[in-house]
Amino acid sequence: MNTDRPATSSGTAVLGLTPLDPGVSARLRERGDAVVLPADSADLDAFLAARGDDVRALVCSGTVGAPAALLRRMPSLGAVVVFGAGVDAVDIQAADALGVQVSNTPDVLSEAVADTALYLHLETRRRFADARRLVADGEWARGTSPSLTDDAHGRRVGILGMGRIGEAVARRMAALGCEVHYCNRRPVEGSPHRYHADPMSLAGAVETLVVAVSGGPGTRGLVGAEVLERLGAEGVLINMARGSVVNEDALVRAVQEDRLGAVGLDVYEDEPHVPRALVESDRVVALPHVGSATTGTRRAMRDLVVENLERYLADGVLVTPVGMAGLAH
């Protein structure tokens, strides 16, 4: 890794790219050496042309990210501080080559995201929202009985990516009496769960597949048509990772052709746009990327972003760095 870029410079210290968490944007605007601009705007282009040499740190969301072309326009840039666990929108390889460090906000959102995965597991099996609508719409009072649904407990659940979030999901599934299987680049030492070396093996062994693997080029389309076929017409897919990990075209076809039992989604390939075929299917439970959207979690993420930024500007070190080697499942 090239580490020639300076940790200190004069002029603008921080560039924040919106859309960004409002609390982070507010903290940046309190600084005298920060500029906050929309990620896709003429103002950003004009700013970089005039003052791109002055930027030492970039703050962005995991969705906005930092492509190589943007990184190259800031020759004094030393750090990209990401609000979120996912860094697939940051060109990590280019950052590494340019000597730009990257940080994210791991750990602090794992439990909230795992709670969301648990909800999707329950909802795709038990369909509580449909039952609630019977009450809210008065249908139950008029004699309509709720449909019978599937058990959520005791299922064989596979977790693709046994990192921090995957482990938190596994704890919740085990508490439901589920038999937990997982696929990772390598077995997790001491794990009581059954290891599978590839997604195909995992999908063929379970009834529900929870996707919790890191995003990025290495996992794009990892869950494709063959994996969905192996999961089968009674299987359930839950994606808590990145939309890019699941081949969305293959997923749409599987839903339309009744080749999946149900789907629970919190992430999509082209957020916030969701294919109508998924939105309109009664097999799909679709959420608007709310996995980490709790007050406490977002506060912790915000604090970690600020801590990374302040630490870098003070001594050139990030608290939670991510590198090429840190993108393991």
Side-chain angles (χ1 to χ4, degrees):
M1 172 179 170
N2 178 1
T3 57
D4 295 337
R5 289 200 172 193
T8 59
S9 176
S10 59
T12 300
V14 184
L15 172 63
L17 296 183
T18 62
L20 191 60
D21 172 77
V24 172
S25 292
R27 296 283 285 271
L28 292 179
R29 289 189 171 97
E30 292 172 357
R31 300 180 59 98
D33 58 355
V35 174
V36 180
L37 294 170
D40 184 15
S41 70
D43 289 342
L44 174 61
D45 190 65
F47 171 81
L48 291 173
R51 299 173 59 192
D53 290 357
D54 298 330
V55 178
R56 297 165 52 201
L58 174 69
V59 179
C60 61
S61 71
T63 302
V64 170
L70 177 63
L71 297 174
R72 294 190 185 105
R73 296 189 69 180
M74 296 173 282
S76 296
L77 184 69
V80 176
V81 180
V82 178
F83 180 89
V87 294
D88 47 301
V90 178
D91 192 323
I92 298 292
Q93 187 171 4
D96 199 60
L98 292 167
V100 177
Q101 302 178 63
V102 179
S103 72
N104 63 346
T105 56
D107 292 331
V108 294
L109 51 68
S110 299
E111 300 299 329
V113 173
D115 285 347
T116 309
L118 175 60
Y119 164 77
L120 288 172
H121 172 69
L122 293 170
E123 184 59 32
T124 52
R125 294 289 181 185
R126 295 298 310 274
R127 313 298 302 197
F128 290 125
D130 292 343
R132 179 178 180 275
R133 277 191 291 271
L134 288 180
V135 177
D137 295 343
E139 292 297 321
W140 192 42
R142 288 190 288 269
T144 301
S145 298
S147 300
L148 296 179
T149 57
D150 294 332
D151 288 322
H153 66 274
R155 293 288 183 174
R156 297 189 310 278
V157 176
I159 300 173
L160 182 56
M162 190 61 91
R164 299 176 182 91
I165 292 173
E167 289 180 348
V169 172
R171 291 196 302 273
R172 286 157 175 77
M173 296 303 176
L176 287 179
C178 293
E179 179 183 299
V180 178
H181 299 233
Y182 74 99
C183 173
N184 219 40
R185 287 181 176 172
R186 60 190 64 85
V188 176
E189 185 176 354
S191 174
H193 309 303
R194 181 177 171 185
Y195 173 71
H196 294 261
D198 60 81
M200 287 288 286
S201 172
L202 180 66
V206 301
E207 298 166 285
T208 295
L209 178 62
V210 180
V211 183
V213 72
S214 299
T219 58
R220 178 171 292 278
L222 184 64
V223 178
E226 292 183 349
V227 173
L228 296 176
E229 189 70 25
R230 183 67 64 89
L231 186 58
E234 300 299 320
V236 174
L237 176 75
I238 295 172
N239 190 4
M240 301 303 304
R242 283 291 184 267
S244 60
V245 177
V246 176
N247 183 320
E248 201 163 81
D249 290 338
L251 178 61
V252 167
R253 289 194 298 271
V255 169
Q256 291 177 323
E257 296 169 8
D258 297 338
R259 291 188 284 107
L260 279 176
V263 180
L265 301 171
D266 190 44
V267 291
Y268 311 89
E269 192 166 357
D270 183 27
E271 295 182 11
H273 308 291
V274 183
R276 294 308 304 171
L278 298 180
V279 174
E280 294 170 356
S281 173
D282 59 7
R283 295 175 181 268
V284 179
V285 178
L287 300 177
H289 203 152
V290 295
S292 66
T294 72
T295 302
T297 298
R298 291 295 171 85
R299 183 187 305 115
M301 292 169 66
R302 187 179 307 136
D303 290 345
L304 188 50
V305 164
V306 173
E307 186 179 359
N308 269 295
L309 178 62
E310 297 297 344
R311 180 76 178 273
Y312 173 75
L313 294 175
D315 57 25
V317 176
L318 291 169
V319 179
T320 53
V322 174
M324 293 300 293
L327 296 179
H329 297 183

